[in-house]
Amino acid sequence: MKKFFYLLLIVITFSSCSEYQKALKSEDIAVKFKLGTELYDAGKYGKANRLFAQIVPGYRGKPQAEKLMFMYANSFYMMKDYYLAAYQLERFEDAYSNSEKAEEALFLSAKSYYQLSPIYSKEQKETIQAIEKLQLFINKYPESQYLADANALIKELDYKLEKKAFEIAKQYNKIANFESADYEASIKSFDLFLLEYPGTSFREEAMYYRLDSAYNLAVNSIKLKKEARLNSAIAYYNSFAKAYPNSKHKDIADAMNVELTAQLAQLNI
């Protein structure tokens, strides 16, 4: 019985492959459309895509063109070919703006850019582009069924940009521990980060590391610049302590302030 089952499976497989190969070689675009649609519905997007690519020019202006172009564009997304998916889905929405699939196509196009966004440590050109595309989608379809998903994707991408900027600023602080001249770059970097991302989840850490850099710059400063830098560091401490009175960094920050205040008092004797 098992042998019969396996034999039947082999026959069906070869029959299916034979049908597909015949369709590929056929001059009949209707045959390609029919089998391509069946393969698409069965989740065999690679094979369907190959058939669709052969008949797209032949269906321009025909009633089936809209369905064909959506399946063709979406098959790229399902194959995880996000560069072509982004282009083809956006092209479909532009050509068939009144289609019931237009909204879905534009969302999937924007989501394709999201899929192309790299990890935070890499260059973030695609991340910025994805945010722009998702925002354009929201602007065009403000009542969309995909609105919550689009906003969630933007939030995730925004977080990635925040983390990238925070880690860059933090890296200046680490470098500064070996090269004191970089403490100023660290402070400026955190100032800029906090200005650009006022609601960031990294705010507490950013304010602490900014204080740390200001403290190290002040206590290791030459006498000519020391008073101004001590006052600046104390101001950063006051901002941090007011914003996060129960911070996990409280003890270290308080110790920094004691040292800063003592050195400032010593200068004024």
Side-chain angles (χ1 to χ4, degrees), residues 115-157:
Q115 298 285 8
L116 292 169
S117 173
I119 59 173
Y120 79 88
S121 57
K122 293 187 176 181
E123 206 277 328
Q124 294 298 303
K125 180 180 74 173
E126 289 88 354
T127 302
I128 295 169
Q129 191 174 25
I131 292 172
E132 291 173 350
K133 293 294 183 179
L134 285 162
Q135 191 59 58
L136 284 172
F137 167 77
I138 291 171
N139 293 344
K140 190 164 188 178
Y141 296 99
E143 305 297 325
S144 173
Q145 61 178 313
Y146 305 108
L147 184 63
D149 290 335
N151 281 321
L153 294 178
I154 289 176
K155 186 176 181 180
E156 185 179 335
L157 294 167

Side-chain angles (χ1 to χ4, degrees), residues 41-222:
D41 290 340
K44 297 179 181 179
Y45 301 108
K47 286 185 175 182
N49 179 277
R50 191 174 173 192
L51 286 170
F52 293 153
Q54 292 183 339
I55 61 175
V56 163
Y59 272 91
R60 286 200 178 98
K62 294 188 176 184
Q64 304 97 323
E66 180 184 321
K67 180 180 179 180
L68 172 64
M69 290 309 298
F70 179 78
M71 291 190 295
Y72 179 57
N74 193 45
S75 63
F76 285 111
Y77 185 87
M78 301 306 293
M79 292 159 58
K80 299 184 179 181
D81 188 342
Y82 296 120
Y83 283 105
L84 281 173
Y87 170 73
Q88 292 291 351
L89 286 161
E90 188 172 12
R91 188 181 176 195
F92 172 87
E93 194 274 343
D94 184 58
Y96 300 97
S97 57
N98 293 322
S99 169
E100 63 177 19
K101 290 289 188 179
E103 180 184 321
E104 181 183 357
L106 193 60
F107 172 68
L108 289 175
S109 175
K111 194 173 181 180
S112 295
Y113 287 101
Y114 160 84
Q115 298 285 8
L116 292 169
S117 173
I119 59 173
Y120 79 88
S121 57
K122 293 187 176 181
E123 206 277 328
Q124 294 298 303
K125 180 180 74 173
E126 289 88 354
T127 302
I128 295 169
Q129 191 174 25
I131 292 172
E132 291 173 350
K133 293 294 183 179
L134 285 162
Q135 191 59 58
L136 284 172
F137 167 77
I138 291 171
N139 293 344
K140 190 164 188 178
Y141 296 99
E143 305 297 325
S144 173
Q145 61 178 313
Y146 305 108
L147 184 63
D149 290 335
N151 281 321
L153 294 178
I154 289 176
K155 186 176 181 180
E156 185 179 335
L157 294 167
D158 279 337
Y159 177 83
K160 190 181 292 188
L161 293 180
E162 285 181 24
K163 188 170 178 61
K164 171 79 171 181
F166 173 73
E167 291 297 335
I168 290 173
K170 190 176 177 181
Q171 189 62 34
Y172 279 118
N173 177 269
K174 289 180 179 179
I175 294 171
N177 288 324
F178 300 97
E179 303 172 22
S180 59
D182 286 325
Y183 283 123
E184 287 185 274
S186 176
I187 295 166
K188 289 177 182 177
S189 186
F190 280 117
D191 279 340
L192 181 61
F193 173 78
L194 290 165
L195 184 64
E196 290 186 351
Y197 302 99
T200 177
S201 58
F202 297 106
R203 188 168 182 265
E204 179 181 348
E205 293 297 298
M207 292 182 73
Y208 168 72
Y209 282 111
R210 180 178 66 176
L211 167 61
D212 179 73
S213 294
Y215 165 82
N216 281 291
L217 180 66
V219 298
N220 294 296
S221 183
I222 60 173

Side-chain angles (χ1 to χ4, degrees), residues 16-17 19-21 23-24 31-52 71 75 78:
S16 175
C17 289
E19 183 184 9
Y20 177 66
Q21 291 301 324
L24 282 174
V31 169
K32 295 178 189 287
F33 182 90
K34 181 177 181 297
L35 182 58
T37 301
E38 291 173 0
L39 290 168
Y40 178 89
D41 290 340
K44 297 179 181 179
Y45 301 108
K47 286 185 175 182
N49 179 277
R50 191 174 173 192
L51 286 170
F52 293 153
M71 291 190 295
S75 63
M78 301 306 293

